[in-house]
């Protein structure tokens, strides 16, 4: 089905702001502007296209750098005058080489923790591909699956003990250890976070559909 762009409210210059978001991590990568033509090209190619206000021409993100953005989802806001484009980035979004254009903090009440799992997965993957002598993650990969499974089992037992002791801090500590060793196991077996998300989403949708069928 072709989307009817007349549902969107382009400004007096024929432009609409498009917030680009990493679909996996939720990070806001950049802000661009689209006119009707670049919006249509984005839909057709499943890659982000923008209109350059300074050069007054269309441009395809990553056409020269290779840092393309594969479009996963596009939604618009309640006023129909702003787009949220969720993408799978193939490289940094910022011309400086940074992952996101938003790097300078104005105010922060606490450290941002949303990315920590994805950062941990990236670190584990790097240790597997680029072993570092003396690094614990490298040691686990060198020892192989039996050692990793042993650690997963030990940490699961420690979680149970912490819970039985009603010790919140101990549970936090041991669950963190369990998650880390589970992620190492997943990397060894080629299981990704996206695989888990897809499975959990599928189960959730199935339960929703079953609930509706029982009504």
């Amino acid at each position: 089905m072709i989307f009817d762009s007349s549902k969107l409210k382009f400004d007096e210059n024929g432009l609409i702001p498009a917030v680009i978001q990493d679909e996996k991590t939720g990070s806001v990568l950049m802000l661009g502007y689209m006119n009707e033509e670049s919006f249509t090209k984005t839909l057709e190619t499943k890659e982000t296209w923008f209109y350059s206000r300074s050069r007054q021409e269309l441009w395809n993100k990553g056409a020269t750098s290779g840092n393309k953005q594969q479009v996963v989802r596009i939604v618009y806001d309640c006023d129909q005058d702003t787009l949220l484009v969720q993408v799978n980035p193939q490289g940094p979004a910022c011309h400086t080489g940074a992952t996101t254009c938003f790097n300078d903090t104005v105010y922060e009440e606490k450290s941002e923790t949303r990315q920590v799992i994805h950062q941990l997965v990236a670190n584990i993957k790097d240790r597997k591909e680029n072993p570092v002598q003396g690094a614990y993650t490298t040691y686990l990969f060198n020892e192989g699956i039996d050692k990793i499974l042993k650690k997963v089992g030990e940490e699961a037992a420690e979680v149970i003990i912490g819970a039985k002791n009603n010790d919140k801090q101990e549970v936090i500590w041991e669950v963190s250890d369990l998650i880390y060793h589970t992620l190492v196991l997943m990397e060894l077996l080629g299981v990704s976070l996206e695989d888990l998300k897809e499975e959990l989403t599928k189960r959730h949708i199935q339960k929703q559909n079953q609930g509706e069928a029982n009504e």
Side-chain angles (χ1 to χ4, degrees), residues 70-148:
Q70 296 178 346
V71 176
V72 177
R73 186 178 298 104
I74 302 177
V75 297
Y76 55 90
D77 72 337
C78 56
D79 293 322
Q80 299 92 45
D81 61 2
T82 304
L83 298 173
L84 175 63
V85 184
Q86 296 178 322
V87 302
N88 178 14
Q90 302 304 296
C94 186
H95 71 282
T96 65
T99 300
T100 170
C101 293
F102 296 92
N103 289 300
D104 297 316
T105 303
V106 175
Y107 169 78
E108 183 176 64
E109 184 172 344
K110 65 176 183 177
S111 298
E112 199 273 324
T113 58
R114 216 172 9 145
Q115 300 293 336
V116 66
I117 296 294
H118 292 277
Q119 290 171 349
L120 182 55
V121 168
N123 290 342
I124 290 171
K125 183 179 181 66
D126 183 63
R127 283 289 183 267
K128 183 171 182 286
E129 296 176 351
N130 305 289
V132 175
Q133 187 175 2
Y136 179 64
T137 306
T138 297
Y139 161 75
L140 288 175
F141 283 126
N142 287 340
E143 289 295 306
I145 191 167
D146 287 344
K147 180 64 175 181
I148 297 171

Side-chain angles (χ1 to χ4, degrees), residues 18-89:
V19 178
I20 311 303
Q21 181 185 41
D22 188 318
E23 188 267 340
K24 292 186 178 69
T25 68
S27 289
V28 175
L29 302 178
M30 59 177 284
L31 172 67
Y33 289 84
M34 296 182 180
N35 61 7
E36 190 162 355
E37 184 180 0
S38 62
F39 174 72
T40 299
K41 278 183 169 293
T42 297
L43 288 178
E44 290 175 347
T45 65
K46 304 299 186 296
E47 295 178 356
T48 52
W49 284 77
F50 303 97
Y51 181 80
S52 171
R53 294 171 295 171
S54 58
R55 301 191 305 271
Q56 295 189 341
E57 64 181 13
L58 299 187
W59 62 285
N60 174 211
K61 175 64 179 174
T64 56
S65 67
N67 300 327
K68 288 183 176 288
Q69 297 170 337
Q70 296 178 346
V71 176
V72 177
R73 186 178 298 104
I74 302 177
V75 297
Y76 55 90
D77 72 337
C78 56
D79 293 322
Q80 299 92 45
D81 61 2
T82 304
L83 298 173
L84 175 63
V85 184
Q86 296 178 322
V87 302
N88 178 14

